[in-house]
Amino acid sequence: MNISLLLSVLLGFALVAAAANFNQDIAITWGDGRGKILENGHLLTLSLDNFSGSGFQSKNEYLFGKIDMNLKLVPGNSAGTVTTYYLRSQGSTWDEIDFEFLGNLTGEPYTVHTNVYCGGKGNREQQFRLWFDPTKDFHTYSVLWNPRRIIFSVDGTPIREFKNLESIGVPFPKSQPMRVYSSLWNADDWATRGGLIKTDWSKAPFTAAYRNYKADACVWSSGKSSCSASSPSRNSWLSQELDISSQQRLKWVQKNYMIYNYCADAKRFPQGLPKECTAP
Ligand SMILES: *[C@@H]1O[C@H](CO)[C@@H](O)[C@H](O)[C@H]1NC(C)=O
Ligand SMILES: *[C@@H]1O[C@H](CO)[C@@H](O)[C@H](O)[C@H]1NC(C)=O
């Protein structure tokens, strides 16, 4: 074996060892066998049938991080199903950063629902369509959470930014460690066209698939947080902000794909829109 071949074999091992592994990072927490870790930890599936859904959580808790996951959503008639993917802390005044994918009839678009909770209070919904069919292939859904901002992204394109505006009295999640959770469950009492369209159980089981979980994050353990991040620039996510081109892509998404914005829903806030909505 020549040196370069040897090197590439060794490098190959190093890459494999560094790649995400669900067996190491994730615990399936409910669903009685409906959640599965496959392919030596490289694929995870959740399923839902007329008895139960299923779900998992990250083994680690994080205080800030950039969390990426590839998801392939329930194909075909997924009406009534909800796939959630979120970060959440413990307790009654929890913080939470939410992605939820609301299924639909075959050929009708999914709704991507997002929300940010601080101290147990949410009411900050924004909803989007996607610019691709999320059931055909895996796509990357990311949450960047640092002390200055939360950025939701899809395939690297930011769809939402929630800034730290504590200076004007808007709460921001920054002191409670969160775990990553995901679940697939039935919500046909509200999910699709407000509950009008029911889950078609003859199509069950419904299955969503996950790959490439990646957490560049500060891991919380025994009251302390220790940050790690992959190269090239260590911990760059901790101070990351949107550059000009990302801001332009965010505007493009918000103009063309946003279907609900709490900040534009004046009826809902008769006392006035939340402060973050009118901040300069
Ligand atoms: C669930 O679906 C199976 C297979 O279609 C059926 O046999 C069973 O009765 C259903 N159970 C419930 C609780 O609806
Ligand atoms: C499902 O498709 C219909 C028709 O295109 C759309 O109005 C609705 O918002 C879609 N999503 C959900 C979750 O109902």
Side-chain angles (χ1 to χ4, degrees):
M1 194 187 282
N2 68 30
I3 290 285
S4 71
L5 182 58
L6 178 65
L7 267 180
S8 62
V9 168
L10 288 175
L11 268 174
F13 276 119
L15 287 176
V16 169
N21 191 304
F22 287 120
N23 284 315
Q24 183 185 311
D25 300 326
I26 295 293
I28 292 183
T29 42
W30 62 283
D32 196 19
R34 289 172 183 81
K36 293 191 178 73
I37 295 178
L38 305 162
E39 297 181 6
N40 291 320
H42 295 292
L43 174 68
L44 187 157
T45 58
L46 291 183
S47 71
L48 162 73
D49 59 29
N50 61 355
F51 284 100
S52 176
S54 50
F56 65 79
Q57 66 184 46
S58 61
K59 291 185 182 168
N60 283 326
E61 286 183 291
Y62 309 107
L63 188 63
F64 306 122
K66 181 174 187 301
I67 313 286
D68 299 332
M69 180 80 90
N70 289 5
L71 269 92
K72 191 163 134 188
L73 300 175
V74 174
N77 182 356
S78 59
T81 72
V82 173
T83 305
T84 67
Y85 167 56
Y86 58 104
L87 282 90
R88 184 186 162 124
S89 66
Q90 305 291 310
S92 59
T93 53
W94 76 97
D95 300 334
E96 185 172 324
I97 303 170
D98 273 341
F99 266 115
E100 287 185 9
F101 304 94
L102 314 184
N104 216 332
L105 296 168
T106 306
E108 301 289 345
Y110 262 82
T111 297
V112 180
H113 175 97
T114 64
N115 205 352
V116 175
Y117 283 70
C118 196
K121 292 202 183 69
N123 298 325
R124 299 192 180 93
E125 299 87 354
Q126 287 185 354
Q127 293 186 337
F128 304 86
R129 294 275 181 252
L130 292 165
W131 48 95
F132 53 83
D133 179 347
T135 72
K136 286 272 187 293
D137 294 297
F138 285 91
H139 290 270
T140 308
Y141 301 87
S142 312
V143 172
L144 170 80
W145 170 37
N146 71 30
R148 309 293 307 149
R149 52 188 38 85
I150 293 165
I151 299 171
F152 296 78
S153 305
V154 177
D155 288 337
T157 293
I159 63 167
R160 175 172 187 178
E161 180 178 31
F162 184 78
K163 288 187 185 151
N164 183 333
L165 294 171
E166 286 179 302
S167 57
I168 58 163
V170 181
F172 186 85
K174 61 158 202 306
S175 50
Q176 308 194 73
M178 304 203 229
R179 234 180 258 283
V180 176
Y181 295 85
S182 183
S183 62
L184 173 57
W185 51 287
N186 177 41
D188 68 359
D189 51 338
W190 61 269
T192 308
R193 296 205 206 170
L196 286 178
I197 301 182
K198 298 297 170 192
T199 304
D200 178 0
W201 293 113
S202 75
K203 301 292 187 308
F206 303 98
T207 302
Y210 301 74
R211 283 191 187 279
N212 296 328
Y213 175 68
K214 182 160 171 271
D216 274 351
C218 302
V219 173
W220 183 262
S221 164
S222 335
K224 279 196 302 230
S225 117
S226 62
C227 305
S228 71
S230 47
S231 53
S233 58
R234 204 175 140 74
N235 288 350
S236 61
W237 59 267
L238 252 175
S239 55
Q240 192 175 327
E241 48 187 297
L242 293 174
D243 60 19
I244 298 288
S245 95
S246 304
Q247 287 175 27
Q248 283 164 350
R249 283 183 294 149
L250 175 67
K251 282 203 184 109
W252 171 78
V253 172
Q254 300 214 330
K255 176 162 179 271
N256 296 293
Y257 295 94
M258 186 154 70
I259 56 170
Y260 178 79
N261 181 5
Y262 74 112
C263 281
D265 194 352
K267 274 198 306 248
R268 203 175 141 191
F269 303 100
Q271 319 298 328
L273 289 173
K275 282 183 207 150
E276 66 271 22
C277 298
T278 49

